PDB file of all heavy atoms in Angstrom:
ATOM      1  N   LEU V  56      -4.380  -9.847  10.626  1.00 98.00           N
ATOM      2  CA  LEU V  56      -5.711  -9.251  10.760  1.00 98.00           C
ATOM      3  C   LEU V  56      -5.733  -8.171  11.835  1.00 98.00           C
ATOM      4  O   LEU V  56      -6.755  -7.532  12.034  1.00 98.00           O
ATOM      5  CB  LEU V  56      -6.732 -10.342  11.091  1.00 98.00           C
ATOM      6  CG  LEU V  56      -7.066 -11.300   9.944  1.00 98.00           C
ATOM      7  CD1 LEU V  56      -7.841 -12.507  10.460  1.00 98.00           C
ATOM      8  CD2 LEU V  56      -7.846 -10.602   8.850  1.00 98.00           C
ATOM      9  N   GLY V  57      -4.616  -7.993  12.516  1.00 95.00           N
ATOM     10  CA  GLY V  57      -4.545  -6.949  13.523  1.00 95.00           C
ATOM     11  C   GLY V  57      -4.024  -7.390  14.873  1.00 95.00           C
ATOM     12  O   GLY V  57      -3.923  -6.581  15.797  1.00 95.00           O
ATOM     13  N   ARG V  58      -3.668  -8.695  15.000  1.00 96.00           N
ATOM     14  CA  ARG V  58      -3.197  -9.187  16.301  1.00 96.00           C
ATOM     15  C   ARG V  58      -1.744  -9.656  16.261  1.00 96.00           C
ATOM     16  O   ARG V  58      -1.297 -10.332  17.178  1.00 96.00           O
ATOM     17  CB  ARG V  58      -4.083 -10.340  16.781  1.00 96.00           C
ATOM     18  CG  ARG V  58      -5.520  -9.963  17.096  1.00 96.00           C
ATOM     19  CD  ARG V  58      -6.251 -11.089  17.828  1.00 96.00           C
ATOM     20  NE  ARG V  58      -6.092 -12.367  17.168  1.00 96.00           N
ATOM     21  CZ  ARG V  58      -5.328 -13.365  17.620  1.00 96.00           C
ATOM     22  NH1 ARG V  58      -4.656 -13.238  18.741  1.00 96.00           N
ATOM     23  NH2 ARG V  58      -5.242 -14.503  16.938  1.00 96.00           N
ATOM     24  N   ASP V  59      -1.009  -9.280  15.228  1.00 96.00           N
ATOM     25  CA  ASP V  59       0.371  -9.737  15.118  1.00 96.00           C
ATOM     26  C   ASP V  59       1.280  -8.597  14.663  1.00 96.00           C
ATOM     27  O   ASP V  59       1.846  -8.631  13.564  1.00 96.00           O
ATOM     28  CB  ASP V  59       0.451 -10.911  14.139  1.00 96.00           C
ATOM     29  CG  ASP V  59       1.798 -11.638  14.192  1.00 96.00           C
ATOM     30  OD1 ASP V  59       2.661 -11.221  14.986  1.00 96.00           O
ATOM     31  OD2 ASP V  59       1.979 -12.612  13.433  1.00 96.00           O
ATOM     32  N   PRO V  60       1.436  -7.563  15.485  1.00 95.00           N
ATOM     33  CA  PRO V  60       2.304  -6.447  15.088  1.00 95.00           C
ATOM     34  C   PRO V  60       3.763  -6.859  14.918  1.00 95.00           C
ATOM     35  O   PRO V  60       4.498  -6.222  14.170  1.00 95.00           O
ATOM     36  CB  PRO V  60       2.130  -5.442  16.229  1.00 95.00           C
ATOM     37  CG  PRO V  60       1.675  -6.256  17.399  1.00 95.00           C
ATOM     38  CD  PRO V  60       0.840  -7.351  16.819  1.00 95.00           C
ATOM     39  N   GLN V  61       4.177  -7.921  15.598  1.00 95.00           N
ATOM     40  CA  GLN V  61       5.563  -8.361  15.449  1.00 95.00           C
ATOM     41  C   GLN V  61       5.845  -8.825  14.028  1.00 95.00           C
ATOM     42  O   GLN V  61       6.966  -8.665  13.523  1.00 95.00           O
ATOM     43  CB  GLN V  61       5.878  -9.472  16.443  1.00 95.00           C
ATOM     44  CG  GLN V  61       7.347  -9.889  16.422  1.00 95.00           C
ATOM     45  CD  GLN V  61       7.703 -10.895  17.496  1.00 95.00           C
ATOM     46  OE1 GLN V  61       6.934 -11.112  18.426  1.00 95.00           O
ATOM     47  NE2 GLN V  61       8.861 -11.514  17.364  1.00 95.00           N
ATOM     48  N   LEU V  62       4.847  -9.394  13.369  1.00 97.00           N
ATOM     49  CA  LEU V  62       5.024  -9.812  11.977  1.00 97.00           C
ATOM     50  C   LEU V  62       5.395  -8.616  11.113  1.00 97.00           C
ATOM     51  O   LEU V  62       6.282  -8.695  10.260  1.00 97.00           O
ATOM     52  CB  LEU V  62       3.741 -10.468  11.459  1.00 97.00           C
ATOM     53  CG  LEU V  62       3.693 -10.731   9.952  1.00 97.00           C
ATOM     54  CD1 LEU V  62       4.761 -11.744   9.549  1.00 97.00           C
ATOM     55  CD2 LEU V  62       2.304 -11.201   9.530  1.00 97.00           C
ATOM     56  N   VAL V  63       4.714  -7.498  11.324  1.00 97.00           N
ATOM     57  CA  VAL V  63       4.978  -6.292  10.535  1.00 97.00           C
ATOM     58  C   VAL V  63       6.397  -5.801  10.786  1.00 97.00           C
ATOM     59  O   VAL V  63       7.155  -5.500   9.849  1.00 97.00           O
ATOM     60  CB  VAL V  63       3.958  -5.193  10.870  1.00 97.00           C
ATOM     61  CG1 VAL V  63       4.188  -3.962   9.992  1.00 97.00           C
ATOM     62  CG2 VAL V  63       2.533  -5.707  10.701  1.00 97.00           C
ATOM     63  N   ALA V  64       6.784  -5.724  12.058  1.00 95.00           N
ATOM     64  CA  ALA V  64       8.119  -5.242  12.399  1.00 95.00           C
ATOM     65  C   ALA V  64       9.199  -6.177  11.870  1.00 95.00           C
ATOM     66  O   ALA V  64      10.227  -5.728  11.340  1.00 95.00           O
ATOM     67  CB  ALA V  64       8.229  -5.082  13.909  1.00 95.00           C
ATOM     68  N   ASP V  65       8.974  -7.486  11.991  1.00 96.00           N
ATOM     69  CA  ASP V  65       9.970  -8.444  11.511  1.00 96.00           C
ATOM     70  C   ASP V  65      10.112  -8.376   9.989  1.00 96.00           C
ATOM     71  O   ASP V  65      11.220  -8.503   9.450  1.00 96.00           O
ATOM     72  CB  ASP V  65       9.587  -9.863  11.931  1.00 96.00           C
ATOM     73  CG  ASP V  65       9.810 -10.115  13.414  1.00 96.00           C
ATOM     74  OD1 ASP V  65      10.488  -9.294  14.064  1.00 96.00           O
ATOM     75  OD2 ASP V  65       9.301 -11.132  13.925  1.00 96.00           O
TER      76      ASP V  65
END
Side-chain angles (χ1 to χ4, degrees):
L56 288 168
R58 294 191 310 107
D59 192 0
Q61 185 174 346
L62 170 64
V63 183
D65 286 347

